[in-house]
Amino acid sequence: MLRRILRFRSCLVLVLSLAVVATAIPATSHAITFDVDSRASIAMPTTSKCPTLTEPPRSYEAFFTIDDRDLRGSGDENNAPWDYPKKIAQVICGARQNAQIRIAMYYVRAIGTLNKPGLQNTDNSGYNTSTSYGSSPETDTEVIWNALEWVAKNRNVRIGIVLEKPATSYVTNLIEKRLKKLAGFKGFTSPTSGAIQYCRRGCFSIAAPTKDSDTLDHEKFMAISDTIWDDNSTAPRSIGKAKPIVWSSSGNWSRSNMRTYIQDSTLIYNDKKLYEWFDVRYSGMAECSRSGCAKNTKFPTAPAVNFTKSVNLKKSLPKLESKRWVDFLNPHGTDSGRGTFVTFSPQRRSVIDPYIAAMDSVDCTVDNQVRIAMFKITSARAAEVAKSMQSLVSRGCNLQVLLSQTGGAYKIESDVLKKMKTYLTGTSSKKFNSIVKCTSVQLHTKLVMVGPPTNNNGRFITGTTNMDWTGLYSADEHTLTFDVKRASAQYQPDLRRLYGQYMSAWSAINSASQTCK
């Protein structure tokens, strides 16, 4: 009963929020259809079964950890997996026979104190009845590894993953054990060395690592080359009929990162050119992990799964700047009519970053509602960001900003708040506190939304990149820009719906915001 009440409350919040800010959502819109079990809960992939979506997804979909937090609470210590990783796993279970999955993550965790990975036998609560959990089991990520193991062994799916090198051999050994020894991952160079690649202080940097280096692989994406949902068949097919999917997120794959922070996931379905860009970025990162990429000669000139024959990583990374392979062709448009653009970091320092560009280009007489949710703004960027925000306010925009007060070892710097207040509202604390607030729970989202107050004909940016120097100019990152007005009639309804989902999530997070300290 409690579960149904909480689910009803989450749905009610969504409906009410969308009624206020998203009047353009079509009446026929529906949520992504995850498979459910006998209790009408999100079905959990195991090493013996791999439930997936029951219908093809829309062109764009999103889901968040907000519902899990409503249901299970912050700091939940129940070992039964959350729904959020089950949803990621069900996307993986949609991989087609002989498909390829390329994953890049800042960090992942595996096994922890779980003594028998697999979660093969579960009771109605989601517990594995044949294992012991210990004090810190990675049961949430185990669901994802289960799905990847299942498609690798049952559909001959080749899987490769690029990670920032873990700080300890203990963590590395558990990852290697779970993904190579148990799951049997097959990479794209050889089954043993190609399945998992590690970068040290970032992939696209050749700067010498230092103890305090701010360069790292901060990516969080997964690209699946073909899926089964459109024809309910697992049989392999020609590239001309393939329907890829890209998963982009703010969150890493670990129990603590999923449960401690508010995280988001975006799915982009059957955008072939977007898939290709993530395909070649993965390949470039993997090459850098192997060779150090002092030169770009081994960067791919085409994706491994080449739909459009128009994507060339070597061309977009022609030379080093500050010992980093920066993208000279940002932003990259995707399939025609999608209104979708991807920007990769490290970026050129001479180019205005996507966040500042988005704020500075707003016409406040048309799109006067600006909503921002950002994990981190650092001191080095605070003044520039605040100046753009102040310009928005002076032009008549309704600006609301949410920041994370804390996050792991991170705590918002007093200098950041001081600089933002100085440039944004001067000496008025009351006015500043009405514009900038901090979340009551730890926020990991990176989100900027611009649009009218009465409908969803807006644009927004999401991805992995914080409003900091590292994320823009040093680390391996990406942002996705979705623009309803630049999309064709075919994609506008799905983009409006996606905009509404993110605006609803922003409103839910804001409902418990407080004054920054």
Side-chain angles (χ1 to χ4, degrees):
M1 177 62 71
L2 177 61
R3 186 183 184 94
R4 287 196 291 270
I5 291 171
L6 287 169
R7 281 189 177 276
F8 173 77
R9 186 182 74 178
S10 295
C11 291
L12 183 62
V13 169
L14 177 62
V15 170
L16 292 176
S17 298
L18 296 187
V20 173
V21 302
T23 56
I25 291 182
T28 56
S29 66
H30 62 270
I32 185 171
T33 53
F34 296 103
D35 196 7
V36 297
D37 58 24
S38 59
R39 297 170 297 125
S41 299
I42 302 295
M44 182 169 65
T46 70
T47 52
S48 59
K49 60 182 179 180
C50 211
T52 188
L53 314 186
T54 58
E55 296 178 16
R58 286 174 172 265
S59 301
Y60 311 90
E61 301 278 6
F63 52 91
F64 310 85
T65 58
I66 295 172
D67 287 343
D68 285 298
R69 297 182 70 91
D70 282 348
L71 183 64
R72 302 269 292 265
S74 180
D76 175 33
E77 295 182 0
N78 187 324
N79 289 324
W82 275 23
D83 282 350
Y84 182 79
K86 293 181 192 177
K87 293 173 182 178
I88 298 172
Q90 285 206 18
V91 173
I92 293 166
C93 290
R96 205 173 186 93
Q97 184 79 19
N98 298 341
Q100 300 178 19
I101 300 179
R102 291 171 169 80
I103 302 166
M105 300 291 291
Y106 174 27
Y107 70 83
V108 301
R109 295 293 182 262
I111 301 177
T113 56
L114 188 68
N115 80 330
K116 191 180 289 186
L119 298 180
Q120 298 95 332
N121 304 304
T122 57
D123 62 20
N124 287 336
S125 300
Y127 282 99
N128 186 334
T129 55
S130 62
T131 192
S132 62
Y133 290 88
S135 60
S136 183
E138 286 291 339
T139 49
D140 292 312
T141 58
E142 184 61 27
V143 178
I144 297 172
W145 305 138
N146 287 343
L148 287 165
E149 178 177 347
W150 194 93
V151 297
K153 292 180 176 179
N154 292 276
R155 293 195 186 139
N156 193 40
V157 173
R158 296 189 76 88
I159 301 165
I161 183 167
V162 177
L163 304 169
E164 181 72 12
K165 182 71 174 177
T168 67
S169 59
Y170 171 78
V171 173
T172 304
N173 291 340
L174 289 176
I175 293 170
E176 296 278 328
K177 176 182 177 181
R178 183 66 188 92
L179 306 190
K180 286 186 180 179
K181 184 177 179 181
L182 298 180
F185 275 21
K186 296 178 181 178
F188 303 104
T189 55
S190 71
T192 54
S193 65
I196 309 174
Q197 310 274 1
Y198 299 101
C199 292
R200 296 177 183 271
R201 303 295 183 183
C203 298
F204 288 115
S205 171
I206 64 168
T210 65
K211 181 179 179 181
D212 300 318
S213 174
D214 54 7
T215 300
L216 47 85
D217 163 18
H218 197 243
E219 279 289 18
K220 300 162 189 72
F221 72 77
M222 173 172 60
I224 303 176
S225 64
D226 196 9
T227 52
I228 66 174
W229 305 304
D230 65 303
D231 63 359
N232 293 315
S233 171
T234 62
R237 57 185 173 182
S238 67
I239 191 171
K241 296 181 179 180
K243 294 188 182 297
I245 195 165
V246 170
W247 170 85
S248 167
S249 180
S250 61
N252 302 290
W253 287 350
S254 78
R255 174 179 173 134
S256 62
N257 205 246
M258 291 180 189
R259 297 194 181 195
T260 304
Y261 297 88
I262 294 173
Q263 306 283 13
D264 61 83
S265 284
T266 307
L267 299 175
I268 306 94
Y269 179 56
N270 200 30
D271 187 332
K272 294 179 171 62
K273 197 168 184 179
L274 181 68
Y275 169 85
E276 290 176 327
W277 275 114
F278 283 105
D279 179 314
V280 295
R281 287 292 291 194
Y282 165 88
S283 297
M285 295 170 75
E287 177 57 39
C288 288
S289 75
R290 291 189 293 268
S291 68
C293 59
K295 298 180 179 180
N296 71 348
T297 52
K298 293 186 178 181
F299 285 165
T301 56
V305 182
N306 196 356
F307 294 104
T308 69
K309 297 180 171 40
S310 61
V311 169
N312 185 330
L313 183 70
K314 186 176 180 181
K315 186 176 180 180
S316 70
L317 307 179
K319 62 180 181 179
L320 291 161
E321 283 189 2
S322 302
K323 297 186 176 181
R324 293 174 176 85
W325 292 103
V326 298
D327 196 317
F328 276 66
L329 300 182
N330 278 329
H332 304 280
T334 66
D335 284 357
S336 177
R338 301 281 304 213
T340 303
F341 305 86
V342 60
T343 299
F344 293 106
S345 296
Q347 301 175 35
R348 301 188 70 190
R349 299 184 195 182
S350 59
V351 176
I352 299 174
D353 73 74
Y355 293 134
I356 298 296
M359 290 189 285
D360 289 352
S361 64
V362 176
D363 180 351
C364 292
T365 63
V366 178
D367 296 326
N368 72 332
Q369 182 171 262
V370 181
R371 299 291 182 262
I372 296 172
M374 192 63 53
F375 171 53
K376 185 189 295 185
I377 300 176
T378 55
S379 180
R381 295 276 298 160
E384 184 177 2
V385 169
K387 288 177 183 178
S388 287
M389 290 179 178
Q390 192 280 328
S391 178
L392 284 171
V393 174
S394 67
R395 299 197 311 268
C397 273
N398 178 350
L399 172 67
Q400 295 287 308
V401 180
L402 294 175
L403 302 176
S404 187
Q405 185 76 56
T406 60
Y410 167 78
K411 185 180 185 301
I412 192 168
E413 302 170 69
S414 59
D415 186 50
V416 169
L417 295 176
K418 182 179 179 181
K419 287 182 178 178
M420 290 186 69
K421 180 182 175 183
T422 297
Y423 288 99
L424 188 53
T425 62
T427 59
S428 175
S429 295
K430 183 177 180 180
K431 186 175 181 181
F432 178 75
N433 293 336
S434 70
I435 296 173
V436 179
K437 295 183 181 297
C438 282
T439 55
S440 58
V441 295
Q442 296 182 66
L443 173 73
H444 209 235
T445 292
K446 295 85 176 170
L447 177 67
V448 174
M449 306 191 73
V450 177
T454 56
N455 60 56
N456 287 353
N457 289 319
R459 67 184 187 274
F460 71 97
I461 303 171
T462 188
T464 67
T465 310
N466 290 296
M467 286 183 175
D468 63 349
W469 190 93
T470 298
L472 295 166
Y473 304 118
S474 180
D476 306 325
E477 311 254 16
H478 76 272
T479 59
L480 290 168
T481 300
F482 303 99
D483 192 334
V484 176
K485 295 174 184 176
R486 297 181 71 175
S488 67
Q490 176 184 355
Y491 296 107
Q492 282 186 342
D494 287 354
L495 270 182
R496 291 191 190 104
R497 182 176 174 275
L498 186 70
Y499 185 94
Q501 286 180 294
Y502 268 95
M503 186 62 76
S504 177
W506 186 95
S507 298
I509 299 166
N510 183 51
S511 65
S513 61
Q514 56 197 12
T515 300
C516 296
K517 302 175 182 178

